[in-house]
Amino acid sequence: MTDTLRASYASHPASSRGRRHPERPAPTRSDYQRDRDRIVHSSAFRRLVYKTQVFLNHEGDLFRTRLTHSLEVAQLGRSIGRSLGLDEDLIETVALAHDLGHTPFGHAGQDVLNDCMQAHGGFEHNLQSLRVVDQLEQRYPQFDGLNLSFESREGILKHCSKRDALRLEALEPGGVAARFLAGGQPSLEAQLCNLADEVAYNAHDVDDGVRSGLITLEQLEQVPLVKRFLDDTLTEYPHLTGKRLLAETIRRMLSEQVYDIIAATRRAIQDAGITTADDARAAGPLVRFTPAMRQASTELKRFLFANLYRHAAVQDKRASAEEVLRDLFQIYLADPDKLPADCANPEDHPRACADYIAGMTDRYALKEHERLTGKKLFG
């Protein structure tokens, strides 16, 4: 983004708080562009293509994975950020990296790893994403991790408990966890990625849910946000059916949410008198929906939770996925020699087990489980 298009309150790579390990600037890229490129070339990013969003990867070629979800978040984030004058490269970096620490089998994987790790500090995928870019990627001779800029790391750490924030703050005083203790906000770019994440998964889970046959357009007529754009589409195209009707309904719903965020955020920035990036960090959350759209989005989330995420077919797969990861954790915990040598950590063996399992793709976890237990839980 050129400075003529950049708003005064946007993050600016020239004003970055820098990297934990100093590096010479790149001759042709800003710090945020460099961060994005490091994410794209990372092993963790490539593995997202075989990690579950809602439906297991082998259940269908057209369902979203963590990789396609991250790309959709980046696209929505850049579109909104461009209109707001924010730094698109930082938005893209945070969007592409925000799920790097997610486990195989979606939230089922996170829940079971957190349960297994309760006596060892727990497990949370946002913290794991930061751990991936700070420590676990092994690409450079000078340091572990990807050595991203402060602003990229700050955006990746979306959530953090006080306990975890205190631990991170002790390791990095005034670092990416400080805002959770002081009550501040991340950059506007990071705030935008949080909301773009919600918009993306609501929309694509509607799409995948209908394509899977687990929910129907008739059911979705119960949801005001969907019914509004379904009715609008049928008014203009009364004979439209099937995939085209679904796609056009979702397209209109996405567009309206994008316009709503732009308008509501501009108003919030203006009302708060925000003129600099530091002003934005000191204010409350500024990237937002209007109250009416917030309510509509929440109603859609509730519908998806009740009718898709808790659907018997999804829950059946979830139970098997939990068994796979729980078995793997217990096997690795009991026998450190079963971990690859480059993943071992004698000083914290339970964390090494969690790191290794969290980095697995769905299909690799199934393959390892079958190899180690002789059980085949998925057809």
Side-chain angles (χ1 to χ4, degrees):
M1 176 183 292
T2 63
D3 288 338
T4 57
L5 299 176
R6 192 192 308 270
S8 63
Y9 47 72
S11 297
H12 197 301
S15 302
S16 171
R17 286 183 51 178
R19 306 178 188 276
R20 294 196 301 168
H21 305 280
E23 297 184 58
R24 288 193 299 270
T28 59
R29 295 172 294 166
S30 75
D31 279 349
Y32 303 150
Q33 290 169 339
R34 201 176 189 185
D35 287 352
R36 176 203 57 213
D37 296 349
R38 290 182 177 188
I39 294 297
V40 169
H41 290 288
S42 69
S43 299
F45 183 72
R46 291 194 298 276
R47 287 195 294 265
L48 294 179
V49 72
Y50 291 118
K51 289 195 176 188
T52 291
Q53 182 66 27
V54 173
F55 297 95
L56 299 183
N57 183 257
H58 68 269
E59 292 185 295
D61 291 340
L62 296 181
F63 295 133
R64 269 68 171 196
T65 66
R66 286 286 161 189
L67 180 63
T68 54
H69 164 69
S70 298
L71 293 172
E72 291 183 28
V73 175
Q75 181 270 319
L76 283 169
R78 291 196 69 149
S79 294
I80 298 168
R82 187 177 303 122
S83 293
L84 293 171
L86 302 180
D87 190 288
E88 292 182 48
D89 297 314
L90 179 56
I91 292 168
E92 187 175 25
T93 298
V94 174
L96 295 180
H98 82 281
D99 270 351
L100 291 181
H102 229 302
T103 61
F105 308 124
H107 287 282
Q110 172 177 283
D111 292 345
V112 75
L113 265 190
N114 184 45
D115 185 51
C116 289
M117 287 290 292
Q118 276 304 297
H120 314 288
F123 179 91
E124 206 283 325
H125 82 267
N126 289 127
L127 282 172
Q128 190 69 11
S129 294
L130 184 67
R131 184 168 169 80
V132 167
V133 300
D134 280 357
Q135 299 179 48
L136 298 182
E137 280 289 322
Q138 299 177 356
R139 302 185 61 84
Y140 300 97
Q142 311 98 313
F143 45 76
D144 291 334
L146 301 179
N147 198 32
L148 303 183
S149 68
F150 173 87
E151 293 75 21
S152 294
R153 297 173 59 240
E154 170 192 57
I156 290 169
L157 191 62
K158 290 170 54 177
H159 310 293
C160 192
S161 68
K162 184 175 181 180
R163 180 192 67 177
D164 289 327
L166 288 168
R167 178 177 58 80
L168 291 175
E169 179 68 8
L171 296 171
E172 183 186 2
V176 293
R179 67 184 174 88
F180 295 100
L181 301 173
Q185 298 296 319
S187 68
L188 290 171
E189 289 82 1
Q191 293 181 41
L192 174 54
C193 284
N194 289 348
L195 192 49
D197 184 24
E198 175 184 338
V199 172
Y201 69 65
N202 276 349
H204 64 51
D205 288 354
V206 167
D207 190 17
D208 285 350
V210 174
R211 285 175 177 271
S212 72
L214 299 187
I215 57 176
T216 65
L217 275 174
E218 289 72 27
Q219 284 178 287
L220 283 160
E221 289 182 357
Q222 306 168 24
V223 183
L225 184 62
V226 179
K227 179 172 173 51
R228 171 184 167 188
F229 297 105
L230 180 61
D231 289 348
D232 287 350
T233 300
L234 287 173
T235 297
E236 188 169 352
Y237 303 102
H239 303 297
L240 204 60
T241 61
K243 294 178 182 177
R244 291 176 189 260
L245 176 58
L246 176 64
E248 180 63 13
T249 299
I250 292 173
R251 185 190 69 78
R252 292 177 183 224
M253 182 175 73
L254 278 173
S255 294
E256 186 65 22
Q257 289 179 296
V258 165
Y259 304 146
D260 184 273
I261 293 169
I262 292 169
T265 302
R266 279 179 176 159
R267 191 174 306 116
I269 290 171
Q270 182 177 1
D271 290 348
I274 303 300
T275 60
T276 70
D278 286 340
D279 288 344
R281 281 189 167 86
L286 295 167
V287 180
R288 61 183 65 170
F289 284 131
T290 60
M293 185 60 79
R294 165 46 62 202
Q295 180 179 348
S297 179
T298 300
E299 289 171 351
L300 174 56
K301 288 168 69 175
R302 288 173 180 158
F303 171 88
L304 290 170
F305 187 85
N307 295 278
L308 181 61
Y309 311 143
R310 292 301 183 192
H311 193 285
V314 174
Q315 290 298 100
D316 180 59
K317 296 292 193 300
R318 178 187 175 100
S320 296
E322 289 177 348
E323 182 178 348
V324 167
L325 298 194
R326 196 177 302 279
D327 286 350
L328 287 175
F329 186 86
Q330 295 303 329
I331 289 168
Y332 295 137
L333 188 67
D335 187 354
D337 290 337
K338 284 190 165 59
L339 282 181
D342 61 351
C343 297
N345 180 3
E347 295 181 1
D348 192 347
H349 177 58
R351 183 60 59 185
C353 296
D355 288 340
Y356 185 50
I357 293 171
M360 291 179 175
T361 62
D362 292 11
R363 64 182 185 177
Y364 183 72
L366 292 173
K367 180 180 177 181
E368 275 293 278
H369 184 262
E370 184 176 357
R371 182 180 71 84
L372 292 169
T373 68
K375 294 187 288 185
K376 189 168 186 177
L377 297 183
F378 293 90

